Amino acid sequence: MKIAFLACVALAAFGLIDAAQAGDAGRGACAYGGDPYKNYNCLEPYLGSDFLSRFINYYRLEWGHDVAPADPKLPPGRRDYWPATPQTLPPMPFTEWPYGGSTNLGVTRPNSVDSPLMVAMANTPFGHWLDDMHIQVYGWLDPGGNLSTNTVRGGNAPAAYSYNPNNVQLDQAVLYIERLPDTVQKDHIDWGFRIAPIYGENYRYTTAFGLWSYQLLNQNKNNGYDMPMAYGEVFIPWVMEGLNIRFGRYISIPDIEAQLAPNNYMYSHSMTYTFDNYTNTGIEATLAATKNWILQAGFSAGTESLPWHVGARIANPFPSALYPMQTMPKDPGAVPSFTLGVRWSSDDGNDNINLVANAINGGLWGYNNLQWYGGTYYHKFNDQWHISIESYNEHQNNVPNLLNASALAIIANGGTPFSPQYMPFNAPGGAICKSAAVLSCTAEFQTALMYLNYKATPLDNISYRAEFVDDYQGQRTGTKTRYIETGIGWQHWFSPQIEVRPEVSYYKSLDAFAFNGNPNLGIPANRNYAIIGAADIIIHF
């Protein structure tokens, strides 16, 4: 129903636009008959003067185009000696191979985001102030739905991001308030920030323990809110080719995929990404040592954890060999952690490699204390074809053994920070260790992921996804099994502001039933496969 309503609103709006166009034709070369793509001076007459007209007319202007009209007065958007731009957006979800933790170095100008909302406000006093301050306000709505062979509420898991099968939902409503530092210039220090609230079903994948996490961990709400990004940053151009320092909560490095819907090839996410590190809270330094080499180093409070949990302790009603004292850490994963990364890009932009160790510490079983070691590789064959590859290994130590009666008693009696008494829903899982004799063990997770992408037209991308996942001890997905998954999706852009992403994916658990269950409801999985067809529409504003 939500998708149908949005579609009706969009059709009605564009019907009004066509009527306005017919009524205004002939008013002059730069009235509605003028073409800002041919003559940029026609942009303001084309848009009109009031907020609503400008907002609607900008959607109409870009409809059927793959880029905004180019302002000939704008300075260059990248350093002339920098590696070449590998991709276009649209139809791809990015122009630079993604690395995270930093504004893209050497290729970022302030006020550079194409936004109907900013255009609509541009001739107002508030819009002038935002422009002078290089602040932009924009975002998107992302409703979607799926048809699935699963039937149980929550039964699509461990597939994501459609938790509930056969459902229509609001995946994300996102607002960005940001200032992008100028990383093209090399003559002054610049600064930036981003505040990015999110609301919808997808909050369950971005939640950090300690920040509004009661919605997921105490109530298991279907929709909720979060703030996956809230950071500031400073760009210092005189350190080699530029040093950017980001501080706050930010997206972990260096994945192909990201939580934010427009940053992905497909509507759904790979299992590789679903059980990955999502955010760190701390500080991340990104140094362009040369035009080809970028180095990253970070210091954080762990993964999906907050600094105010560092050192925090709670009562322990059931002291044991796992937690022998009368108190225990509120989150054993909320500890000082470091990140190291290295990135190489070829001069032509066709090849890119990222190797990263993310949020590394002692690796004790925590909310999401994933000791992540891995990397990404991108190769562009030609203007139509490119491939994206990711692989990583992650682990946690001292994970309670679900085969051990003593470990089960400790969990049941509140003897861990993640016992039901403290965390009724969506708590970190235990492990299926090799032997029932041990109280705990190390739980590992290994992945291999590939996206093969074809740019059919400037507004169409087709992505084929294939992956292999091995949840060695079942700690991440809840089932000790290997998985294979494959899917194909079509990303069609009507304009730079509106896109649809239909797809179909097949999931198979090779060693045990993993689908059509819900541990939060006490329903065991009863299927070893899932077929999920899904689609969403992203409306940028």
Side-chain angles (χ1 to χ4, degrees), residues 434-473:
K434 291 182 179 180
S435 168
V438 297
L439 192 63
S440 64
C441 64
T442 295
E444 290 190 78
F445 191 75
Q446 180 67 53
T447 71
L449 168 68
M450 178 203 74
Y451 279 96
L452 181 62
N453 308 284
Y454 173 62
K455 179 181 177 179
T457 76
L459 292 171
D460 293 279
N461 170 50
I462 298 172
S463 290
Y464 169 70
R465 181 173 70 206
E467 66 175 326
F468 170 80
V469 167
D470 195 338
D471 192 358
Y472 292 100
Q473 286 76 33

mmCIF file of all heavy atoms in Angstrom, residues 434-473:
data_model
loop_
_atom_site.group_PDB
_atom_site.id
_atom_site.type_symbol
_atom_site.label_atom_id
_atom_site.label_comp_id
_atom_site.label_asym_id
_atom_site.label_seq_id
_atom_site.Cartn_x
_atom_site.Cartn_y
_atom_site.Cartn_z
ATOM 1 N N LYS A 434 33.461 -27.313 18.976
ATOM 2 C CA LYS A 434 33.786 -28.659 18.498
ATOM 3 C C LYS A 434 33.506 -29.730 19.540
ATOM 4 O O LYS A 434 33.195 -30.874 19.201
ATOM 5 C CB LYS A 434 35.253 -28.710 18.073
ATOM 6 C CG LYS A 434 35.562 -27.905 16.819
ATOM 7 C CD LYS A 434 37.019 -28.035 16.431
ATOM 8 C CE LYS A 434 37.319 -27.254 15.159
ATOM 9 N NZ LYS A 434 38.745 -27.362 14.766
ATOM 10 N N SER A 435 33.627 -29.360 20.812
ATOM 11 C CA SER A 435 33.427 -30.327 21.887
ATOM 12 C C SER A 435 32.473 -29.762 22.920
ATOM 13 O O SER A 435 32.505 -28.565 23.231
ATOM 14 C CB SER A 435 34.766 -30.651 22.561
ATOM 15 O OG SER A 435 34.573 -31.371 23.764
ATOM 16 N N ALA A 436 31.608 -30.607 23.465
ATOM 17 C CA ALA A 436 30.694 -30.182 24.531
ATOM 18 C C ALA A 436 31.426 -29.988 25.857
ATOM 19 O O ALA A 436 30.863 -29.422 26.795
ATOM 20 C CB ALA A 436 29.577 -31.207 24.693
ATOM 21 N N ALA A 437 32.670 -30.434 25.927
ATOM 22 C CA ALA A 437 33.400 -30.383 27.195
ATOM 23 C C ALA A 437 33.881 -28.983 27.550
ATOM 24 O O ALA A 437 34.090 -28.670 28.731
ATOM 25 C CB ALA A 437 34.595 -31.336 27.140
ATOM 26 N N VAL A 438 34.069 -28.121 26.533
ATOM 27 C CA VAL A 438 34.615 -26.784 26.809
ATOM 28 C C VAL A 438 33.490 -25.810 27.129
ATOM 29 O O VAL A 438 32.377 -25.907 26.589
ATOM 30 C CB VAL A 438 35.448 -26.267 25.626
ATOM 31 C CG1 VAL A 438 36.652 -27.178 25.398
ATOM 32 C CG2 VAL A 438 34.613 -26.171 24.355
ATOM 33 N N LEU A 439 33.783 -24.850 28.017
ATOM 34 C CA LEU A 439 32.787 -23.867 28.427
ATOM 35 C C LEU A 439 32.587 -22.795 27.363
ATOM 36 O O LEU A 439 31.491 -22.258 27.199
ATOM 37 C CB LEU A 439 33.208 -23.231 29.748
ATOM 38 C CG LEU A 439 32.173 -22.385 30.481
ATOM 39 C CD1 LEU A 439 30.978 -23.231 30.901
ATOM 40 C CD2 LEU A 439 32.826 -21.722 31.700
ATOM 41 N N SER A 440 33.662 -22.489 26.635
ATOM 42 C CA SER A 440 33.595 -21.459 25.597
ATOM 43 C C SER A 440 34.638 -21.762 24.536
ATOM 44 O O SER A 440 35.507 -22.617 24.715
ATOM 45 C CB SER A 440 33.849 -20.072 26.198
ATOM 46 O OG SER A 440 35.165 -19.981 26.715
ATOM 47 N N CYS A 441 34.545 -21.042 23.423
ATOM 48 C CA CYS A 441 35.514 -21.229 22.343
ATOM 49 C C CYS A 441 35.536 -19.984 21.478
ATOM 50 O O CYS A 441 34.764 -19.050 21.680
ATOM 51 C CB CYS A 441 35.180 -22.468 21.510
ATOM 52 S SG CYS A 441 33.597 -22.387 20.626
ATOM 53 N N THR A 442 36.429 -19.988 20.503
ATOM 54 C CA THR A 442 36.497 -18.906 19.525
ATOM 55 C C THR A 442 35.534 -19.211 18.386
ATOM 56 O O THR A 442 35.514 -20.331 17.867
ATOM 57 C CB THR A 442 37.926 -18.753 18.979
ATOM 58 O OG1 THR A 442 38.790 -18.347 20.046
ATOM 59 C CG2 THR A 442 37.977 -17.710 17.864
ATOM 60 N N ALA A 443 34.741 -18.206 18.011
ATOM 61 C CA ALA A 443 33.779 -18.349 16.917
ATOM 62 C C ALA A 443 34.275 -17.560 15.710
ATOM 63 O O ALA A 443 34.590 -16.372 15.821
ATOM 64 C CB ALA A 443 32.402 -17.860 17.342
ATOM 65 N N GLU A 444 34.340 -18.218 14.550
ATOM 66 C CA GLU A 444 34.845 -17.586 13.332
ATOM 67 C C GLU A 444 33.768 -17.538 12.257
ATOM 68 O O GLU A 444 32.809 -18.306 12.267
ATOM 69 C CB GLU A 444 36.049 -18.359 12.797
ATOM 70 C CG GLU A 444 37.298 -18.252 13.636
ATOM 71 C CD GLU A 444 38.492 -18.832 12.914
ATOM 72 O OE1 GLU A 444 39.039 -18.166 12.018
ATOM 73 O OE2 GLU A 444 38.865 -19.980 13.246
ATOM 74 N N PHE A 445 34.003 -16.642 11.300
ATOM 75 C CA PHE A 445 33.069 -16.419 10.198
ATOM 76 C C PHE A 445 33.908 -16.057 8.978
ATOM 77 O O PHE A 445 34.713 -15.121 9.025
ATOM 78 C CB PHE A 445 32.122 -15.275 10.569
ATOM 79 C CG PHE A 445 30.930 -15.078 9.672
ATOM 80 C CD1 PHE A 445 29.857 -15.945 9.730
ATOM 81 C CD2 PHE A 445 30.863 -14.003 8.803
ATOM 82 C CE1 PHE A 445 28.733 -15.753 8.933
ATOM 83 C CE2 PHE A 445 29.748 -13.791 7.997
ATOM 84 C CZ PHE A 445 28.677 -14.673 8.060
ATOM 85 N N GLN A 446 33.746 -16.787 7.888
ATOM 86 C CA GLN A 446 34.545 -16.565 6.681
ATOM 87 C C GLN A 446 33.625 -16.313 5.492
ATOM 88 O O GLN A 446 32.603 -16.986 5.337
ATOM 89 C CB GLN A 446 35.428 -17.774 6.382
ATOM 90 C CG GLN A 446 36.295 -17.628 5.139
ATOM 91 C CD GLN A 446 37.354 -16.558 5.303
ATOM 92 O OE1 GLN A 446 38.110 -16.572 6.268
ATOM 93 N NE2 GLN A 446 37.408 -15.611 4.359
ATOM 94 N N THR A 447 34.003 -15.353 4.648
ATOM 95 C CA THR A 447 33.152 -15.002 3.516
ATOM 96 C C THR A 447 33.954 -14.851 2.232
ATOM 97 O O THR A 447 35.166 -14.595 2.264
ATOM 98 C CB THR A 447 32.415 -13.673 3.758
ATOM 99 O OG1 THR A 447 33.367 -12.597 3.696
ATOM 100 C CG2 THR A 447 31.729 -13.659 5.099
ATOM 101 N N ALA A 448 33.264 -14.976 1.111
ATOM 102 C CA ALA A 448 33.785 -14.621 -0.207
ATOM 103 C C ALA A 448 32.605 -14.102 -1.023
ATOM 104 O O ALA A 448 31.577 -14.774 -1.134
ATOM 105 C CB ALA A 448 34.424 -15.826 -0.885
ATOM 106 N N LEU A 449 32.734 -12.910 -1.586
ATOM 107 C CA LEU A 449 31.624 -12.219 -2.247
ATOM 108 C C LEU A 449 32.088 -11.635 -3.568
ATOM 109 O O LEU A 449 33.200 -11.111 -3.674
ATOM 110 C CB LEU A 449 31.097 -11.105 -1.346
ATOM 111 C CG LEU A 449 30.125 -10.091 -1.956
ATOM 112 C CD1 LEU A 449 28.793 -10.746 -2.282
ATOM 113 C CD2 LEU A 449 29.924 -8.910 -1.001
ATOM 114 N N MET A 450 31.207 -11.707 -4.573
ATOM 115 C CA MET A 450 31.487 -11.102 -5.867
ATOM 116 C C MET A 450 30.232 -10.422 -6.404
ATOM 117 O O MET A 450 29.127 -10.961 -6.325
ATOM 118 C CB MET A 450 31.923 -12.171 -6.872
ATOM 119 C CG MET A 450 32.180 -11.628 -8.278
ATOM 120 S SD MET A 450 32.057 -12.895 -9.579
ATOM 121 C CE MET A 450 30.283 -13.152 -9.660
ATOM 122 N N TYR A 451 30.413 -9.216 -6.944
ATOM 123 C CA TYR A 451 29.392 -8.553 -7.752
ATOM 124 C C TYR A 451 29.971 -8.364 -9.154
ATOM 125 O O TYR A 451 31.043 -7.771 -9.321
ATOM 126 C CB TYR A 451 29.046 -7.171 -7.198
ATOM 127 C CG TYR A 451 28.080 -7.148 -6.045
ATOM 128 C CD1 TYR A 451 28.543 -7.095 -4.730
ATOM 129 C CD2 TYR A 451 26.708 -7.136 -6.261
ATOM 130 C CE1 TYR A 451 27.657 -7.035 -3.661
ATOM 131 C CE2 TYR A 451 25.815 -7.079 -5.205
ATOM 132 C CZ TYR A 451 26.293 -7.027 -3.913
ATOM 133 O OH TYR A 451 25.421 -6.974 -2.854
ATOM 134 N N LEU A 452 29.261 -8.866 -10.157
ATOM 135 C CA LEU A 452 29.604 -8.609 -11.548
ATOM 136 C C LEU A 452 28.562 -7.640 -12.096
ATOM 137 O O LEU A 452 27.364 -7.928 -12.045
ATOM 138 C CB LEU A 452 29.606 -9.903 -12.354
ATOM 139 C CG LEU A 452 29.986 -9.774 -13.836
ATOM 140 C CD1 LEU A 452 31.406 -9.257 -13.985
ATOM 141 C CD2 LEU A 452 29.807 -11.114 -14.551
ATOM 142 N N ASN A 453 29.011 -6.510 -12.622
ATOM 143 C CA ASN A 453 28.112 -5.398 -12.925
ATOM 144 C C ASN A 453 28.217 -4.984 -14.387
ATOM 145 O O ASN A 453 29.320 -4.854 -14.934
ATOM 146 C CB ASN A 453 28.467 -4.205 -12.030
ATOM 147 C CG ASN A 453 28.513 -4.605 -10.569
ATOM 148 O OD1 ASN A 453 27.492 -4.789 -9.933
ATOM 149 N ND2 ASN A 453 29.722 -4.766 -10.036
ATOM 150 N N TYR A 454 27.050 -4.751 -14.975
ATOM 151 C CA TYR A 454 26.974 -4.384 -16.381
ATOM 152 C C TYR A 454 26.161 -3.100 -16.534
ATOM 153 O O TYR A 454 25.001 -3.031 -16.124
ATOM 154 C CB TYR A 454 26.312 -5.501 -17.195
ATOM 155 C CG TYR A 454 26.033 -5.137 -18.633
ATOM 156 C CD1 TYR A 454 27.079 -4.827 -19.502
ATOM 157 C CD2 TYR A 454 24.729 -5.103 -19.126
ATOM 158 C CE1 TYR A 454 26.827 -4.486 -20.826
ATOM 159 C CE2 TYR A 454 24.475 -4.774 -20.449
ATOM 160 C CZ TYR A 454 25.526 -4.460 -21.294
ATOM 161 O OH TYR A 454 25.276 -4.121 -22.606
ATOM 162 N N LYS A 455 26.789 -2.096 -17.100
ATOM 163 C CA LYS A 455 26.123 -0.820 -17.374
ATOM 164 C C LYS A 455 25.457 -0.916 -18.742
ATOM 165 O O LYS A 455 26.090 -0.744 -19.782
ATOM 166 C CB LYS A 455 27.143 0.313 -17.336
ATOM 167 C CG LYS A 455 26.581 1.686 -17.631
ATOM 168 C CD LYS A 455 27.698 2.735 -17.587
ATOM 169 C CE LYS A 455 27.182 4.111 -17.947
ATOM 170 N NZ LYS A 455 28.276 5.133 -17.887
ATOM 171 N N ALA A 456 24.168 -1.211 -18.741
ATOM 172 C CA ALA A 456 23.443 -1.418 -19.996
ATOM 173 C C ALA A 456 23.205 -0.105 -20.729
ATOM 174 O O ALA A 456 23.322 -0.030 -21.959
ATOM 175 C CB ALA A 456 22.119 -2.122 -19.722
ATOM 176 N N THR A 457 22.842 0.936 -19.976
ATOM 177 C CA THR A 457 22.636 2.279 -20.508
ATOM 178 C C THR A 457 23.090 3.257 -19.430
ATOM 179 O O THR A 457 23.367 2.845 -18.292
ATOM 180 C CB THR A 457 21.147 2.555 -20.844
ATOM 181 O OG1 THR A 457 20.428 2.801 -19.622
ATOM 182 C CG2 THR A 457 20.512 1.382 -21.582
ATOM 183 N N PRO A 458 23.155 4.542 -19.705
ATOM 184 C CA PRO A 458 23.521 5.496 -18.650
ATOM 185 C C PRO A 458 22.558 5.515 -17.467
ATOM 186 O O PRO A 458 22.888 6.084 -16.427
ATOM 187 C CB PRO A 458 23.510 6.844 -19.390
ATOM 188 C CG PRO A 458 23.816 6.502 -20.810
ATOM 189 C CD PRO A 458 23.113 5.192 -21.040
ATOM 190 N N LEU A 459 21.398 4.863 -17.618
ATOM 191 C CA LEU A 459 20.419 4.841 -16.528
ATOM 192 C C LEU A 459 20.098 3.423 -16.059
ATOM 193 O O LEU A 459 19.172 3.244 -15.256
ATOM 194 C CB LEU A 459 19.129 5.545 -16.958
ATOM 195 C CG LEU A 459 19.234 7.065 -17.175
ATOM 196 C CD1 LEU A 459 17.959 7.606 -17.813
ATOM 197 C CD2 LEU A 459 19.503 7.789 -15.871
ATOM 198 N N ASP A 460 20.848 2.431 -16.513
ATOM 199 C CA ASP A 460 20.537 1.043 -16.163
ATOM 200 C C ASP A 460 21.805 0.273 -15.814
ATOM 201 O O ASP A 460 22.770 0.262 -16.592
ATOM 202 C CB ASP A 460 19.829 0.340 -17.329
ATOM 203 C CG ASP A 460 18.449 0.917 -17.595
ATOM 204 O OD1 ASP A 460 17.510 0.540 -16.868
ATOM 205 O OD2 ASP A 460 18.331 1.756 -18.505
ATOM 206 N N ASN A 461 21.752 -0.386 -14.663
ATOM 207 C CA ASN A 461 22.829 -1.266 -14.231
ATOM 208 C C ASN A 461 22.232 -2.617 -13.864
ATOM 209 O O ASN A 461 21.202 -2.693 -13.185
ATOM 210 C CB ASN A 461 23.549 -0.676 -13.019
ATOM 211 C CG ASN A 461 24.504 -1.669 -12.386
ATOM 212 O OD1 ASN A 461 25.327 -2.272 -13.069
ATOM 213 N ND2 ASN A 461 24.385 -1.869 -11.072
ATOM 214 N N ILE A 462 22.877 -3.685 -14.295
ATOM 215 C CA ILE A 462 22.481 -5.041 -13.927
ATOM 216 C C ILE A 462 23.619 -5.652 -13.119
ATOM 217 O O ILE A 462 24.775 -5.652 -13.563
ATOM 218 C CB ILE A 462 22.177 -5.896 -15.171
ATOM 219 C CG1 ILE A 462 20.993 -5.290 -15.941
ATOM 220 C CG2 ILE A 462 21.859 -7.338 -14.774
ATOM 221 C CD1 ILE A 462 20.732 -5.938 -17.281
ATOM 222 N N SER A 463 23.299 -6.145 -11.920
ATOM 223 C CA SER A 463 24.302 -6.714 -11.030
ATOM 224 C C SER A 463 23.984 -8.174 -10.743
ATOM 225 O O SER A 463 22.849 -8.516 -10.408
ATOM 226 C CB SER A 463 24.349 -5.941 -9.705
ATOM 227 O OG SER A 463 24.881 -4.646 -9.887
ATOM 228 N N TYR A 464 25.012 -9.004 -10.873
ATOM 229 C CA TYR A 464 24.911 -10.409 -10.489
ATOM 230 C C TYR A 464 25.766 -10.619 -9.245
ATOM 231 O O TYR A 464 26.941 -10.238 -9.214
ATOM 232 C CB TYR A 464 25.383 -11.322 -11.611
ATOM 233 C CG TYR A 464 25.539 -12.765 -11.173
ATOM 234 C CD1 TYR A 464 24.421 -13.542 -10.884
ATOM 235 C CD2 TYR A 464 26.800 -13.333 -11.018
ATOM 236 C CE1 TYR A 464 24.557 -14.860 -10.458
ATOM 237 C CE2 TYR A 464 26.939 -14.647 -10.600
ATOM 238 C CZ TYR A 464 25.819 -15.403 -10.316
ATOM 239 O OH TYR A 464 25.955 -16.695 -9.882
ATOM 240 N N ARG A 465 25.172 -11.206 -8.207
ATOM 241 C CA ARG A 465 25.865 -11.404 -6.937
ATOM 242 C C ARG A 465 26.014 -12.887 -6.646
ATOM 243 O O ARG A 465 25.047 -13.665 -6.821
ATOM 244 C CB ARG A 465 25.084 -10.736 -5.802
ATOM 245 C CG ARG A 465 25.732 -10.871 -4.421
ATOM 246 C CD ARG A 465 24.983 -10.047 -3.393
ATOM 247 N NE ARG A 465 23.676 -10.593 -3.086
ATOM 248 C CZ ARG A 465 22.645 -9.874 -2.639
ATOM 249 N NH1 ARG A 465 22.769 -8.571 -2.474
ATOM 250 N NH2 ARG A 465 21.490 -10.449 -2.378
ATOM 251 N N ALA A 466 27.187 -13.290 -6.203
ATOM 252 C CA ALA A 466 27.422 -14.664 -5.766
ATOM 253 C C ALA A 466 28.308 -14.619 -4.532
ATOM 254 O O ALA A 466 29.251 -13.824 -4.467
ATOM 255 C CB ALA A 466 28.086 -15.477 -6.868
ATOM 256 N N GLU A 467 27.993 -15.474 -3.554
ATOM 257 C CA GLU A 467 28.808 -15.473 -2.339
ATOM 258 C C GLU A 467 28.792 -16.843 -1.666
ATOM 259 O O GLU A 467 27.900 -17.670 -1.872
ATOM 260 C CB GLU A 467 28.327 -14.412 -1.355
ATOM 261 C CG GLU A 467 26.949 -14.653 -0.783
ATOM 262 C CD GLU A 467 26.567 -13.637 0.289
ATOM 263 O OE1 GLU A 467 27.452 -13.178 1.036
ATOM 264 O OE2 GLU A 467 25.368 -13.302 0.370
ATOM 265 N N PHE A 468 29.840 -17.027 -0.855
ATOM 266 C CA PHE A 468 29.963 -18.201 -0.002
ATOM 267 C C PHE A 468 30.253 -17.710 1.415
ATOM 268 O O PHE A 468 31.076 -16.815 1.611
ATOM 269 C CB PHE A 468 31.099 -19.108 -0.477
ATOM 270 C CG PHE A 468 31.428 -20.213 0.489
ATOM 271 C CD1 PHE A 468 30.650 -21.358 0.544
ATOM 272 C CD2 PHE A 468 32.513 -20.101 1.358
ATOM 273 C CE1 PHE A 468 30.947 -22.379 1.438
ATOM 274 C CE2 PHE A 468 32.827 -21.116 2.250
ATOM 275 C CZ PHE A 468 32.034 -22.255 2.295
ATOM 276 N N VAL A 469 29.547 -18.296 2.388
ATOM 277 C CA VAL A 469 29.710 -17.916 3.793
ATOM 278 C C VAL A 469 29.853 -19.186 4.613
ATOM 279 O O VAL A 469 29.108 -20.154 4.400
ATOM 280 C CB VAL A 469 28.496 -17.090 4.283
ATOM 281 C CG1 VAL A 469 28.498 -16.969 5.794
ATOM 282 C CG2 VAL A 469 28.492 -15.715 3.630
ATOM 283 N N ASP A 470 30.798 -19.180 5.550
ATOM 284 C CA ASP A 470 30.951 -20.310 6.472
ATOM 285 C C ASP A 470 30.878 -19.776 7.898
ATOM 286 O O ASP A 470 31.784 -19.087 8.365
ATOM 287 C CB ASP A 470 32.289 -21.017 6.254
ATOM 288 C CG ASP A 470 32.327 -22.396 6.919
ATOM 289 O OD1 ASP A 470 31.545 -22.625 7.859
ATOM 290 O OD2 ASP A 470 33.150 -23.238 6.496
ATOM 291 N N ASP A 471 29.755 -20.051 8.546
ATOM 292 C CA ASP A 471 29.571 -19.672 9.951
ATOM 293 C C ASP A 471 30.023 -20.873 10.783
ATOM 294 O O ASP A 471 29.223 -21.710 11.191
ATOM 295 C CB ASP A 471 28.109 -19.328 10.209
ATOM 296 C CG ASP A 471 27.892 -18.648 11.554
ATOM 297 O OD1 ASP A 471 28.881 -18.480 12.299
ATOM 298 O OD2 ASP A 471 26.735 -18.298 11.864
ATOM 299 N N TYR A 472 31.311 -20.954 11.034
ATOM 300 C CA TYR A 472 31.938 -22.162 11.568
ATOM 301 C C TYR A 472 31.274 -22.662 12.849
ATOM 302 O O TYR A 472 31.072 -23.859 13.030
ATOM 303 C CB TYR A 472 33.419 -21.899 11.864
ATOM 304 C CG TYR A 472 34.276 -21.679 10.649
ATOM 305 C CD1 TYR A 472 34.624 -20.387 10.249
ATOM 306 C CD2 TYR A 472 34.759 -22.754 9.912
ATOM 307 C CE1 TYR A 472 35.425 -20.186 9.146
ATOM 308 C CE2 TYR A 472 35.563 -22.549 8.800
ATOM 309 C CZ TYR A 472 35.897 -21.265 8.414
ATOM 310 O OH TYR A 472 36.688 -21.056 7.325
ATOM 311 N N GLN A 473 30.966 -21.755 13.770
ATOM 312 C CA GLN A 473 30.359 -22.150 15.048
ATOM 313 C C GLN A 473 28.914 -21.655 15.191
ATOM 314 O O GLN A 473 28.327 -21.776 16.259
ATOM 315 C CB GLN A 473 31.197 -21.621 16.226
ATOM 316 C CG GLN A 473 32.500 -22.380 16.460
ATOM 317 C CD GLN A 473 33.553 -22.013 15.434
ATOM 318 O OE1 GLN A 473 33.626 -20.879 14.956
ATOM 319 N NE2 GLN A 473 34.407 -22.976 15.081
#
